[in-house]
Amino acid sequence: QVQLVESGGELVQAGDSLRLSCQVSGRTFSISTISWFRRAPGRDREFVAGIYWRGDSTWYADSAKGRFTISSDNAKNTIYLQMKSLKPEDTAVYYCAAKSVGTGKYDYWGQGTQVTVSS
């Protein structure tokens, strides 16, 4: 089993920066990639950014390119999402999810952390 715990979400103003953290524990050897997703009430969950657990290649949704940066600190078993130039439309619950090597699916999800951006 893999456990994911997000933290760092809070109320900020448009234009502010914020860093989210995802603490990973358990059977981390079974993870291929970890990604950030977000979901606003009444909206579908959408992909934000992803990173290889045992590498540093990253990929982003168009909405995140140039503003968000995903990174990892394997010594701390932690994934980060550094967000800058936040916009009200970034308001959502942000989740981290781990894709399993065996299934190729996002089998593990955190509980989410709320990010609210006011105008």
Side-chain angles (χ1 to χ4, degrees):
Q1 186 179 3
V2 174
Q3 296 83 41
L4 307 172
V5 180
E6 305 95 333
S7 62
E10 62 181 76
L11 172 64
V12 298
Q13 293 185 336
D16 284 355
S17 296
L18 191 65
R19 188 177 75 164
L20 306 182
S21 299
C22 174
Q23 182 68 43
V24 185
S25 61
R27 303 171 76 249
T28 59
F29 56 85
S30 68
I31 298 172
S32 61
T33 64
I34 293 184
S35 296
W36 285 96
F37 293 81
R38 66 186 183 187
R39 190 170 198 169
R43 300 288 188 87
D44 291 335
R45 180 190 298 136
E46 69 171 335
F47 170 83
V48 177
I51 187 170
Y52 284 111
W53 179 241
R54 296 177 178 176
D56 55 9
S57 295
T58 60
W59 51 99
Y60 298 88
D62 288 342
S63 61
K65 291 179 181 177
R67 297 191 300 125
F68 294 3
T69 302
I70 187 170
S71 62
S72 64
D73 185 339
N74 288 328
K76 297 181 179 180
N77 284 154
T78 302
I79 302 295
Y80 301 99
L81 183 67
Q82 179 66 54
M83 305 182 291
K84 65 179 182 180
S85 301
L86 284 164
K87 306 173 182 179
E89 50 263 45
D90 294 319
T91 295
V93 177
Y94 284 71
Y95 301 87
C96 59
K99 182 179 291 186
S100 297
V101 172
T103 67
K105 299 179 179 180
Y106 288 104
D107 290 328
Y108 309 102
W109 293 80
Q111 84 289 346
T113 185
Q114 176 72 48
V115 173
T116 302
V117 184
S118 66
S119 60

